[in-house]
């Protein structure tokens, strides 16, 4: 390297990294710089957060550099190192002397960085050893933080030793204090972070050691001391998510099989609990098990179900259906047993996205006459809608409405098929339902038309029966285009009634209708109808006098 190109960073490194490093340098990202030794340069570079860079003998063939960022750990170079090199080049080219820190330099503030710069390495090691002997908490943190840097004959042992030192195996005689349980959760969370770091660095074997050892111990401790704890529940989900994330990586075949074997065996240990239908070993394994391994696992699960508590049994039955992509014949006896809790089972199937597997079972329950449960109809309705079996979905919705008066499925159905399809096709199918169910009340039918905005159907129904009670229920709700027809129908009803029954009952009907007009603010129509009656029955003086009192 000649003296001219000695400091030419641009020739030595990737163009993109050089550009990013130069931008950091120009943005004054170097927020701290020191030179504790002649050939050692130490920087703190701010790039979203602070990164520590060390460069030994820069711009030489034996240059060594490190950075605390993740990119450096994966690539042995990063933009922070290049920003530091630009800084050094600038110092040297401008003849500015760096702020060297000779050993006799007096510091302004006593803090950890200044202490570490002034202490000898051997002296620091002696202190750490002594303090670890005297302080168990410090020793534990030391082991936790640096365990994955130590290679042992069985690397799982180092994590097991740490965890067992916090909580001993359960004996039933003593219970750890709340402080100890919190400490365990803290350590578990720390190891979870280390596992994710290892995965990011593609240290798959070490990350698997952490997962197997810590997840196993966590499951054990949760069973005995944390089943009702939200903190344990959150970490339980986090550990299962971590296990699931392994299968998104390009794992070597041997490690993948090792992980599968671990999850299978964890499923059947006595202290493993199923409390979340999507955070458990069966859910994770459903996407990876194949062939003989899958068949054997299903058989073991089937035998294992009888050892679970009732809530877990329902969840595992749903998980087995998810795993098999059907409801196996061998499970039907358990599912169809007397007293089986269908609703939690169907909820789990829905969460797993396989509710449709239970369509046949729901139909059988409903047709047997033993289970006229509105919720079961709703599940069946959901299945048909998912499959776009609209005729079947409407049958279910109509059945629910005519038996319970519940309109939710009807309104959901209209939203799904659209107003045009509803008006042109499905409202006629609903009418056939009414025709085939003569015991339905008028109110049930008119409420249906009203709730589905089937205005013409509603009006035709009211007009057919000439029922003043139905007319008063909906006259003020109908669109304005029906106003003239509404008035004509009132006149017809009142005229016919008074013609056939010229007595008090006719007057009482009129009085009731007038009160209704007052209540719903239909005063103009009231006046027109009274004028009509006065003209029609002008010769009946007593009736006319009574009409005048209603104005």
């Amino acid at each position: 390297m000649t003296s001219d190109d000695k400091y030419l960073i641009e020739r030595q490194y990737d163009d993109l990294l050089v550009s990013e490093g130069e931008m950091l340098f120009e943005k004054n990202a170097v927020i701290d710089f020191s030179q504790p030794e002649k050939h050692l340069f130490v920087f703190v570079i701010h790039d979203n957060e602070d990164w520590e860079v060390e460069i030994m003998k820069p711009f030489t063939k034996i240059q060594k550099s490190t950075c605390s960022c993740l990119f450096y750990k994966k690539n042995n170079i990063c933009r922070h190192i290049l920003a530091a090199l630009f800084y050094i080049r600038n110092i040297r080219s401008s003849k500015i002397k760096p702020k060297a820190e000779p050993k006799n330099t007096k510091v302004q503030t006593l803090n950890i960085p200044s202490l570490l710069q002034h202490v000898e390495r051997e002296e620091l090691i002696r202190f750490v050893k002594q303090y670890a002997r005297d302080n168990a908490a410090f020793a534990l943190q030391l082991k936790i933080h640096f365990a994955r840097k130590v290679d042992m004959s069985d690397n799982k042992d180092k994590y097991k030793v740490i965890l067992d030192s916090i909580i001993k195996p359960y004996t039933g005689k003593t219970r750890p204090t709340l402080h100890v349980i919190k400490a365990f959760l803290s350590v578990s969370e720390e190891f979870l972070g280390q596992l994710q770091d290892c995965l990011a660095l593609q240290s798959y074997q070490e990350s698997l050691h952490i997962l197997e050892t810590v997840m196993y111990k966590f499951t054990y401790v949760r069973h005995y001391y944390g089943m009702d704890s939200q903190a344990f529940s959150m970490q339980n989900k986090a550990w299962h998510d971590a296990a699931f994330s392994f299968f998104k990586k390009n794992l070597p075949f041997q490690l993948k099989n090792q992980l599968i074997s671990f999850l299978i065996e964890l499923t059947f240990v006595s202290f493993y609990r199923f409390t979340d239908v999507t955070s458990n070993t069966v859910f994770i394994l459903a996407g990876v098990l194949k062939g003989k391994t899958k068949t054997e696992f299903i058989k073991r699960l089937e035998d294992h179900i009888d050892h679970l508590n009732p809530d877990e049994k329902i969840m595992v039955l749903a998980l087995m259906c998810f795993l098999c992509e059907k409801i196996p014949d061998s499970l039907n006896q358990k599912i169809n047993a007397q007293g089986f809790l269908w609703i939690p089972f169907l909820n789990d199937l829905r969460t797993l996205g396989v509710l449709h597997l239970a369509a046949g079972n729901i139909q059988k329950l409903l047709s047997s006459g033993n289970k006229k449960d509105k919720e079961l109809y709703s599940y069946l309705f959901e299945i048909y809608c998912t499959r776009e079996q609209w005729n079947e979905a409407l049958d279910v919705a109509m059945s629910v409405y005519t038996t319970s008066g519940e309109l939710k499925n009807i309104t959901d159905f209209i939203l799904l098929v659209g107003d045009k399809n509803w008006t042109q096709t499905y409202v006629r199918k609903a009418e056939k339902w009414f025709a085939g169910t003569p015991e339905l009340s008028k109110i049930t039918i008119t409420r249906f038309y009203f709730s589905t905005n089937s205005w013409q159907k509603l009006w035709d129904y009211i007009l057919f029966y000439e029922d003043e009670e139905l007319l008063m229920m909906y006259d003020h709700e109908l669109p304005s285009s029906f106003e003239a027809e509404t008035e004509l129908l009132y006149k017809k009803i009142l005229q016919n009634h008074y013609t056939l029954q010229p007595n008090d009952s006719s007057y009482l009907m009129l009085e009731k209708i007038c009160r209704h007009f007052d209540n719903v603010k239909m005063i103009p129509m009231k006046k027109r109808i009274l004028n009509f009656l006065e003209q029609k029955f002008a010769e009946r003086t007593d009736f006319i006098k009574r009409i005048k009192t209603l104005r």
Side-chain angles (χ1 to χ4, degrees):
M1 184 181 295
T2 67
S3 59
D4 292 333
D5 64 4
K6 182 177 180 181
Y7 300 138
L8 261 182
I9 300 167
E10 293 82 357
R11 290 187 184 179
Q12 309 298 319
Y13 301 100
D14 176 76
D15 290 345
L16 180 60
L17 279 179
V18 169
S19 175
E20 291 177 348
E22 189 171 16
M23 285 177 65
L24 284 174
F25 166 68
E26 290 175 350
K27 286 181 0 185
N28 297 318
V30 178
I31 60 173
D32 192 31
F33 163 61
S34 61
Q35 189 177 351
E37 298 176 15
K38 181 178 180 181
H39 299 295
L40 176 62
F41 298 80
V42 180
F43 298 83
V44 176
I45 295 180
H46 184 75
D47 182 13
N48 293 325
E49 55 183 289
D50 293 347
W51 305 104
E52 187 173 321
V53 173
E54 291 186 6
I55 302 178
M56 175 70 78
K57 296 185 177 180
F59 303 107
T60 67
K61 291 182 178 179
I62 57 172
Q63 170 184 306
K64 292 183 179 179
S65 53
T66 63
C67 180
S68 57
C69 77
L70 186 60
F71 188 89
Y72 170 79
K73 292 175 182 176
K74 295 171 70 173
N75 301 279
N76 291 321
I77 188 63
C78 67
R79 61 190 181 191
H80 310 118
I81 290 174
L82 293 182
L85 287 172
F86 275 111
Y87 190 91
I88 296 170
R89 184 173 74 176
N90 184 59
I91 290 173
R92 291 182 175 179
S93 60
S94 59
K95 308 300 182 184
I96 299 172
K97 290 189 177 182
K99 55 172 185 179
E101 296 188 9
K103 292 183 180 179
N104 61 351
T105 300
K106 294 183 179 181
V107 297
Q108 299 297 317
T109 305
L110 184 62
N111 53 33
I112 299 301
S114 61
L115 278 173
L116 293 177
Q117 285 181 14
H118 288 77
V119 72
E120 294 293 336
R121 180 175 181 275
E122 292 75 13
E123 187 180 1
L124 181 62
I125 291 173
R126 284 197 301 273
F127 171 79
V128 169
K129 286 181 178 178
Q130 182 61 45
Y131 193 63
R133 279 195 294 267
D134 297 340
N135 189 304
F138 175 75
L140 178 63
Q141 287 301 316
L142 199 63
K143 291 175 184 176
I144 293 167
H145 192 75
F146 294 105
R148 63 191 172 103
K149 296 185 179 294
V150 179
D151 195 25
M152 299 175 63
S153 56
D154 185 348
N155 277 315
K156 286 190 284 189
D157 276 353
K158 58 190 178 187
Y159 300 111
K160 185 177 184 302
V161 167
I162 292 171
L163 295 167
D164 286 347
S165 70
I166 303 171
I167 294 186
K168 301 288 191 294
Y170 179 76
T171 62
K173 295 180 180 178
T174 58
R175 179 182 176 86
T177 64
L178 182 61
H179 174 75
V180 170
I181 291 174
K182 284 184 176 179
F184 175 82
L185 281 170
S186 177
V187 171
S188 170
E189 188 171 12
E190 170 70 24
F191 278 133
L192 192 59
Q194 290 189 26
L195 181 151
Q196 290 162 347
D197 288 344
C198 287
L199 281 178
L201 295 170
Q202 298 182 5
S203 301
Y204 296 136
Q205 183 65 75
E206 191 65 29
S207 58
L208 193 52
H209 289 325
I210 297 173
L211 180 80
E212 290 186 24
T213 310
V214 186
M215 187 174 179
Y216 187 90
K217 180 73 174 186
F218 173 85
T219 304
Y220 177 89
V221 173
R222 178 178 180 244
H223 168 70
Y224 286 109
Y225 309 118
M227 287 305 294
D228 299 324
S229 163
Q230 186 179 2
F232 271 96
S233 295
M234 291 173 63
Q235 273 205 33
N236 182 62
K237 184 179 186 311
W239 278 107
H240 284 88
D241 288 347
F244 188 80
S245 70
F246 274 82
F247 293 106
K248 298 177 183 177
K249 305 291 183 181
N250 189 23
L251 290 179
F253 179 76
Q254 183 180 354
L255 290 185
K256 185 176 180 180
N257 282 345
Q258 181 183 336
L259 175 58
I260 289 172
S261 296
F262 164 70
L263 292 173
I264 288 174
E265 294 311 313
L266 183 62
T267 304
F268 301 107
V269 295
S270 61
F271 48 83
Y272 187 84
R273 299 271 71 87
F274 291 88
T275 54
D276 187 323
V277 75
T278 57
S279 291
N280 59 76
T281 52
V282 179
F283 181 80
I284 297 170
L285 290 166
V288 294
L289 291 183
K290 296 177 182 176
K292 183 180 177 182
T293 307
K294 183 175 180 178
T295 304
E296 291 175 350
F297 182 66
I298 291 170
K299 181 66 175 70
R300 287 183 68 183
L301 263 183
E302 201 173 320
D303 295 337
H304 186 61
I305 283 175
D306 293 330
H307 302 290
L308 302 173
N309 67 47
D311 290 340
E312 288 182 294
K313 186 178 293 187
I314 290 169
M315 189 177 293
V316 173
L317 283 169
L319 284 163
M320 287 186 68
C321 297
F322 175 67
L323 183 62
C324 299
E325 299 179 22
K326 64 177 183 179
I327 297 182
D329 293 338
S330 56
L331 297 187
N332 270 315
Q333 186 176 356
K334 291 182 172 67
I335 291 172
N336 294 319
Q338 185 72 26
F340 182 73
L341 299 176
W342 273 96
I343 302 305
F345 175 70
L346 294 172
N347 279 335
D348 286 340
L349 289 182
R350 174 195 278 157
T351 304
L352 293 165
V354 291
L355 181 59
H356 62 278
L357 298 179
N361 299 75
I362 298 172
Q363 288 169 332
K364 187 175 179 181
L365 279 170
L366 294 171
S367 63
S368 68
N370 296 324
K371 290 273 186 178
K372 294 299 180 185
D373 193 318
K374 187 171 65 178
E375 285 187 87
L376 289 177
Y377 276 112
S378 295
Y379 284 113
L380 193 57
F381 173 78
E382 184 178 329
I383 292 169
Y384 286 140
C385 289
T386 303
R387 293 174 171 177
E388 297 188 2
Q389 293 176 255
W390 302 120
N391 289 329
E392 291 83 353
L394 180 60
D395 282 343
V396 172
M398 292 300 296
S399 182
V400 171
Y401 176 64
T402 54
T403 55
S404 70
E406 174 61 60
L407 273 162
K408 183 181 183 305
N409 289 339
I410 297 288
T411 53
D412 287 347
F413 180 85
I414 296 172
L415 284 173
L416 289 167
V417 301
D419 289 336
K420 186 176 179 182
N421 281 334
W422 169 254
T423 305
Q424 293 181 353
T425 306
Y426 295 107
V427 75
R428 289 195 293 274
K429 293 182 181 296
E431 287 185 301
K432 290 180 180 178
W433 249 92
F434 296 143
T437 319
E439 68 273 14
L440 290 177
S441 70
K442 293 177 184 177
I443 291 176
T444 299
I445 296 173
T446 51
R447 179 170 171 260
F448 171 83
Y449 288 137
F450 170 71
S451 300
T452 58
N453 295 335
S454 303
W455 302 116
Q456 189 59 53
K457 296 291 182 183
L458 174 60
W459 176 252
D460 291 344
Y461 192 85
I462 295 171
L463 189 61
F464 178 80
Y465 283 100
E466 295 185 1
D467 187 323
E468 78 278 3
E469 295 291 345
L470 290 179
L471 189 55
M472 284 191 290
M473 285 178 66
Y474 298 107
D475 56 5
H476 56 292
E477 303 284 3
L478 287 164
S480 58
S481 58
F482 289 90
E483 183 176 349
E485 293 177 80
T486 301
E487 185 174 328
L488 286 174
L489 185 55
Y490 270 121
K491 290 176 179 177
K492 183 179 180 182
I493 291 171
L494 287 165
Q495 181 181 343
N496 290 343
H497 199 276
Y498 192 74
T499 301
L500 295 172
Q501 302 180 48
N503 51 34
D504 284 347
S505 66
S506 296
Y507 176 76
L508 291 174
M509 176 192 284
L510 177 59
E511 188 180 42
K512 178 176 65 175
I513 292 172
C514 287
R515 280 200 305 270
H516 164 72
F517 285 151
D518 290 339
N519 290 334
V520 297
K521 312 300 183 193
M522 292 173 65
I523 308 302
M525 185 179 291
K526 169 187 169 183
K527 290 178 179 178
R528 291 194 297 271
I529 289 173
L530 290 176
N531 288 338
F532 165 78
L533 292 173
E534 284 180 345
Q535 293 171 14
K536 198 72 179 173
F537 301 102
E539 74 283 0
R540 299 184 182 179
T541 55
D542 289 343
F543 184 56
I544 298 301
K545 287 179 182 178
R546 299 181 78 173
I547 287 177
K548 291 184 184 299
T549 64
L550 298 174
R551 287 190 177 276

